[in-house]
Amino acid sequence: MKTIRKNEWKKLLCLLLAMSMLLVTLISCGSEPETGDETETPTDTETVTDTEAEIDTAVGTDTEAVTDTEAATDIETESDTDPESDTESAPVTDSEATSESASASESESESESESESESESESESESESESESESESAPAFKGYDLNEFTVIRPDGATQTVFENALDLRDLIARYAPGVDIGNDWIASGEEQKVALAKEILYGNTDRDETRALIEGMPEDKDYGIGFYENKIVLYGRTAQSLDLAADTFVEKYLKKATNGVLTNVTVGTVIYEADPSLDEALTLRSFRDYPKFQRVHADAVPCSYYGDQYLYTGVEASAVEEYMGRLTAAGFTMVQDNVANGNRSVTFQGKGGTINLGYLSATKELVVSADNGESTLFQKPAEGSWEKLGPNSFAVMTMDYSKYSCSVGCNPRYDNNGLSYVITLEDGRYIIYDGGYEAPNDQEILYEFLRDNNKREGLPVIAAWIMTHSHADHYGAFISFTKNHAKDVVVEAFVVNTGESSCYTDGHSTYLEGLGAYAKTYYKTEQVIKPHVGQNLYFGNVVIETLYTHETFHFDDRNLTNENSASLVTRIYIDGMTILMLADAAEDTCLGMVALHGDYVKSDFMQIAHHGNGGGRRELYSRVDPDYMLWTTSQPGFRRRTAGSSYSVGMPSAYIAALNKEMFELTGGVRENINANGATNAEGVQTNWCADGPVDILTFGENKTVHIEYYEIRAELLPNNPIEEWDAEFVPDNR
């Protein structure tokens, strides 16, 4: 508005000047110059030049005046629009009004023309600017063309994650043949290139988008899928939930792709889901109501079918202490703090859950395990807080191998395995290890032993039933026992920690994965304890220490060959004696224990690994250096497996046969002194036990002496294992 008024004043002055010049010219033309008048009249050019200078000067002066006038005009405008204003305008004459009206009309016309011109110019400029901006910006999102993507797995991924990533790539390639595969390693200087690369991030990769998805995951969800500008993220807390993330991606998005292009999703879409298999009716859902050490972990144990377990690397001891303080501040109570061979195990309880911190000082690795439920078994009871009804004892149970028929390729007279041991506590309660085969006599022998030796009023009480792993010669008796005698006993707790089926390469029994349901349904208990390395369970003055679980060494290689690699290894402390229970420990289990524990494994008793059929390693046995041996096999099997020779199909290799003989001789066993229960040394002291004959009940005195009592099995249940007949069939094979 101000610019327009300045122009109007300038034009008005120009108009007045032109009229005055015209007037001068007319006068000059109407009168003759007087004779002799020598005065020179300036030329038109000179006149115009001088006049323009005057105009410029006048305009400059008038411009200042216009400024004041505009200010006044603004005030007048405000007054005109203000109904309460008392300001009066100066009167205007008719001639002034006519002149101003004409001038205003002309100015408004010119102003409108200029305004329209400027508007059109601005419109064209904005249009050109928008056009240039659109041409320079990225094209509109048209979907994710998976042909341009690479499936990225974590660098150094385990065999399981590596193979699953390959499977995902192969599946995507059916829809988008151009898809590639790689890992998340970034070469120096390639950070920007990687940031712009189109990638499908599988698992816990070292990418910002993966971290963002993890940090946003709600505590009650198990896996997530995120779609970012040039990244698609698939993440799960465990291997099982990561598989579910991949399955969901395939079903919900990949199968709806057109020529390998995902068009049914937009940038920024993130979904989180729970694992439906973690139903409390089937298993124990993981416990997550606790402060996390960090939101982003190095890895997650994928073989835990319930519970959360995360690995953190590069952790200093001071960080562990700080985290312990945070757990305490959050309302958790520390119930254990154990240190062995430089490794630390700290257990907290609270809010209905149990948190275990396993810290390996040598490698600076921290494993945080969170399990549902609290248990008093993690707390050491005060001395004398239980009623003493008798001595603690350890019973070597008998199994009826005559009813067992093994698979094709082995001879049931040789291939006798199984495991069944019972601890009787001073207060009369029992602890059962496995139980043996599903054959009817094994569960009946077990029940009658509990019934006949019960020192408590009422039904026999099983303080804990420990399941070492998912092989039927170990948990089979539990199946038949549950069918026939669940109502005849009280079970206070089950102890189990096996891996989920997806972690095994050669098949896996999922029976124990439903132990939580069996406990609730048949035994009316919800206490299913999942032990971790370094934890102790307390039963009066008997302590059971966990030395190995499937989780221990499968962060680096989660591809378990079979259930034996997942055996729960424990050590029993009973009246000054230590009993190492190896269950069916495989070779990797034995070597892993050496790496973790070193000479800490030294024990008085050692249960032979995998029935003396395999799995053992001299590196472990030499450190255990036992005085007594427990052989989880029949008496005929014991005779053959300690002979130093391999035989038949599926029997000990030459290495294992030689190792068995060494252990037999180390404990003073004499082949001529083999009897129905094992073998004695040269002085006639029993040093080796097998699973035949009467049940041997061992009690322990001063100086680690062993006293034996026998529980005679009912005649109808006596095993029919004809030693002489089987010996005649024994043909050593020295291959």
Side-chain angles (χ1 to χ4, degrees):
M1 183 66 180
K2 291 181 179 180
T3 302
I4 294 174
R5 290 189 176 185
K6 289 178 183 178
N7 291 336
E8 289 173 0
W9 275 99
K10 187 173 181 179
K11 292 175 182 178
L12 181 59
L13 288 173
C14 290
L15 179 62
L16 292 174
L17 181 59
M19 291 175 67
S20 63
M21 289 176 65
L22 178 61
L23 181 60
V24 171
T25 302
L26 291 173
I27 295 172
S28 298
C29 294
S31 62
E32 296 290 331
E34 296 179 1
T35 307
D37 191 355
E38 301 286 332
T39 306
E40 294 183 1
T41 304
T43 64
D44 293 344
T45 304
E46 291 174 343
T47 304
V48 171
T49 302
D50 294 340
T51 304
E52 286 178 348
E54 293 175 1
I55 292 173
D56 289 338
T57 304
V59 169
T61 303
D62 289 339
T63 301
E64 295 176 359
V66 168
T67 303
D68 296 336
T69 303
E70 287 174 346
T73 303
D74 290 339
I75 295 174
E76 291 173 2
T77 303
E78 291 175 4
S79 299
D80 291 341
T81 56
D82 188 354
E84 297 179 0
S85 175
D86 294 329
T87 305
E88 295 182 1
S89 302
V92 180
T93 64
D94 292 342
S95 60
E96 290 175 337
T98 303
S99 175
E100 288 180 7
S101 176
S103 175
S105 176
E106 180 177 285
S107 298
E108 286 175 7
S109 176
E110 291 176 359
S111 173
E112 288 175 2
S113 176
E114 289 177 6
S115 177
E116 289 175 2
S117 176
E118 289 175 3
S119 177
E120 289 175 2
S121 175
E122 289 175 2
S123 177
E124 289 175 1
S125 175
E126 289 175 2
S127 177
E128 289 175 0
S129 176
E130 290 175 0
S131 177
E132 290 175 1
S133 176
E134 288 177 0
S135 64
E136 292 175 359
S137 64
F141 179 73
K142 297 180 180 179
Y144 292 93
D145 187 350
L146 300 183
N147 290 286
E148 302 173 354
F149 277 70
T150 299
V151 175
I152 297 294
R153 56 175 172 77
D155 184 33
T158 62
Q159 187 69 17
T160 299
V161 173
F162 178 82
E163 291 182 356
N164 288 347
L166 283 174
D167 291 342
L168 178 61
R169 189 278 310 270
D170 292 344
L171 187 56
I172 294 174
R174 298 180 186 177
Y175 300 84
V179 69
D180 201 356
I181 191 166
N183 60 51
D184 63 356
W185 181 78
I186 303 176
S188 178
E190 295 289 320
E191 292 81 3
Q192 184 63 24
K193 179 180 178 181
V194 169
L196 298 175
K198 296 181 178 181
E199 298 175 328
I200 300 173
L201 307 178
Y202 181 79
N204 190 27
T205 69
D206 190 20
R207 295 282 195 272
D208 291 340
E209 291 82 1
T210 298
R211 293 190 183 94
L213 189 72
I214 294 173
E215 290 175 357
M217 181 176 288
E219 295 299 329
D220 61 343
K221 304 301 181 184
D222 301 294
Y223 66 91
I225 303 174
F227 295 88
Y228 300 88
E229 185 173 354
N230 57 346
K231 300 285 191 288
I232 300 173
V233 183
L234 308 180
Y235 171 78
R237 296 183 188 275
T238 68
Q240 175 175 300
S241 55
L242 178 56
D243 285 344
L244 284 174
D247 291 343
T248 302
F249 172 74
V250 170
E251 294 297 326
K252 193 170 183 178
Y253 302 105
L254 180 60
K255 289 186 176 180
K256 298 178 182 179
T258 303
N259 297 324
V261 180
L262 305 184
T263 57
N264 63 333
V265 65
T266 58
V267 174
T269 299
V270 175
I271 64 170
Y272 294 107
E273 297 290 346
D275 183 347
S277 68
L278 298 177
D279 193 315
E280 290 187 2
L282 299 176
T283 61
L284 295 179
R285 187 163 181 79
S286 54
F287 174 71
R288 293 175 181 167
D289 185 18
Y290 66 100
K292 307 302 182 292
F293 178 72
Q294 296 172 357
R295 284 293 295 175
V296 179
H297 52 272
D299 213 341
V301 175
C303 299
S304 302
Y305 57 85
Y306 58 83
D308 277 359
Q309 189 169 53
Y310 300 109
L311 168 69
Y312 302 92
T313 57
V315 178
E316 298 293 340
S318 58
V320 178
E321 292 288 346
E322 186 273 336
Y323 184 44
M324 291 169 58
R326 284 199 285 132
L327 288 171
T328 301
F332 291 87
T333 302
M334 185 173 68
V335 293
Q336 288 186 28
D337 189 355
N338 307 320
V339 178
N341 198 39
N343 303 314
R344 189 177 186 184
S345 173
V346 187
T347 302
F348 288 82
Q349 289 191 324
K351 301 182 179 181
T354 300
I355 313 296
N356 176 253
L357 313 182
Y359 183 61
L360 308 182
S361 57
T363 58
K364 295 185 178 181
E365 293 177 320
L366 174 66
V367 179
V368 179
S369 307
D371 302 306
N372 221 13
E374 299 181 49
S375 175
T376 58
L377 294 180
F378 289 111
Q379 303 176 34
K380 186 176 181 179
E383 187 67 32
S385 60
W386 62 90
E387 183 181 6
K388 186 174 180 178
L389 302 177
N392 295 312
S393 65
F394 181 87
V396 181
M397 300 301 294
T398 295
M399 286 179 284
D400 183 6
Y401 293 104
S402 64
K403 299 294 192 298
Y404 167 61
S405 177
C406 71
S407 60
V408 176
C410 61
N411 190 324
R413 296 181 176 181
Y414 307 155
D415 191 22
N416 304 146
N417 299 324
L419 186 152
S420 183
Y421 296 100
V422 176
I423 299 170
T424 302
L425 303 170
E426 287 183 343
D427 64 2
R429 295 179 300 159
Y430 299 105
I431 300 172
I432 299 175
Y433 271 84
D434 288 344
Y437 293 99
E438 193 175 356
N441 282 7
D442 285 3
Q443 58 89 26
E444 198 61 34
I445 292 171
L446 179 60
Y447 169 68
E448 291 192 7
F449 175 85
L450 300 177
R451 181 197 62 194
D452 295 347
N453 290 278
N454 183 25
K455 299 179 178 65
R456 301 169 65 92
E457 294 183 2
L459 300 176
V461 177
I462 301 170
W465 197 321
I466 300 172
M467 302 292 186
T468 63
H469 65 293
S470 295
H471 271 157
D473 59 320
H474 292 256
Y475 70 76
F478 171 76
I479 297 176
S480 51
F481 188 98
T482 299
K483 292 177 181 177
N484 297 298
H485 296 295
K487 63 183 183 303
D488 301 323
V489 298
V490 174
V491 179
E492 295 180 335
F494 290 92
V495 179
V496 61
N497 189 356
T498 64
E500 65 182 24
S501 56
S502 64
C503 295
Y504 296 91
T505 59
D506 64 349
H508 171 73
S509 170
T510 60
Y511 181 79
L512 292 183
E513 294 181 21
L515 190 58
Y518 311 144
K520 289 181 182 179
T521 303
Y522 299 105
Y523 295 96
K524 310 306 179 185
T525 179
E526 296 188 8
Q527 190 168 194
V528 179
I529 298 172
K530 183 180 179 183
H532 303 288
V533 172
Q535 284 184 324
N536 294 333
L537 298 177
Y538 295 95
F539 303 89
N541 56 0
V542 172
V543 181
I544 295 181
E545 177 186 25
T546 302
L547 293 179
Y548 178 90
T549 72
H550 69 92
E551 306 150 339
T552 309
F553 288 98
H554 293 109
F555 284 105
D556 295 327
D557 182 9
R558 251 96 31 94
N559 208 3
L560 301 174
T561 54
N562 56 57
E563 289 91 334
N564 293 336
S565 296
S567 289
L568 173 63
V569 177
T570 59
R571 178 162 51 188
I572 304 165
Y573 294 81
I574 179 171
D575 294 341
M577 201 72 79
T578 52
I579 305 173
L580 179 62
M581 303 292 290
L582 291 175
D584 278 8
E587 290 190 20
D588 58 351
T589 307
C590 294
L591 294 175
M593 289 183 62
V594 172
L596 183 63
H597 300 299
D599 294 335
Y600 181 69
V601 295
K602 175 71 177 80
S603 302
D604 301 307
F605 278 74
M606 187 185 88
Q607 174 244 308
I608 195 74
H610 195 206
H611 319 285
N613 241 1
R617 293 291 302 191
R618 187 173 283 105
E619 294 91 332
L620 176 65
Y621 288 5
S622 62
R623 287 173 168 80
V624 178
D625 188 27
D627 298 316
Y628 305 95
M629 289 292 299
L630 301 172
W631 299 82
T632 49
T633 183
S634 65
Q635 201 268 3
F638 167 66
R639 290 169 66 89
R640 287 151 183 74
R641 295 173 191 184
T642 57
S645 300
S646 115
Y647 59 91
S648 187
V649 177
M651 292 301 101
S653 64
Y655 173 84
I656 293 297
L659 185 57
N660 289 345
K661 184 178 180 181
E662 288 178 25
M663 300 309 296
F664 177 75
E665 294 175 350
L666 174 67
T667 54
V670 177
R671 295 200 63 77
E672 290 75 14
N673 294 352
I674 290 178
N675 55 42
N677 294 83
T680 66
N681 60 17
E683 290 76 33
V685 176
Q686 192 88 14
T687 57
N688 285 261
W689 282 266
C690 59
D692 269 341
V695 174
D696 288 21
I697 303 175
L698 313 182
T699 55
F700 311 103
E702 295 182 359
N703 301 319
K704 297 190 176 183
T705 55
V706 180
H707 306 285
I708 305 175
E709 296 182 5
Y710 299 100
Y711 167 73
E712 291 293 340
I713 300 170
R714 186 159 52 91
E716 291 83 354
L717 301 177
L718 281 174
N720 179 23
N721 302 333
I723 296 174
E724 294 78 9
E725 178 184 340
W726 288 11
D727 279 348
E729 297 180 5
F730 174 43
V731 179
D733 181 358
N734 294 310
R735 290 175 293 178

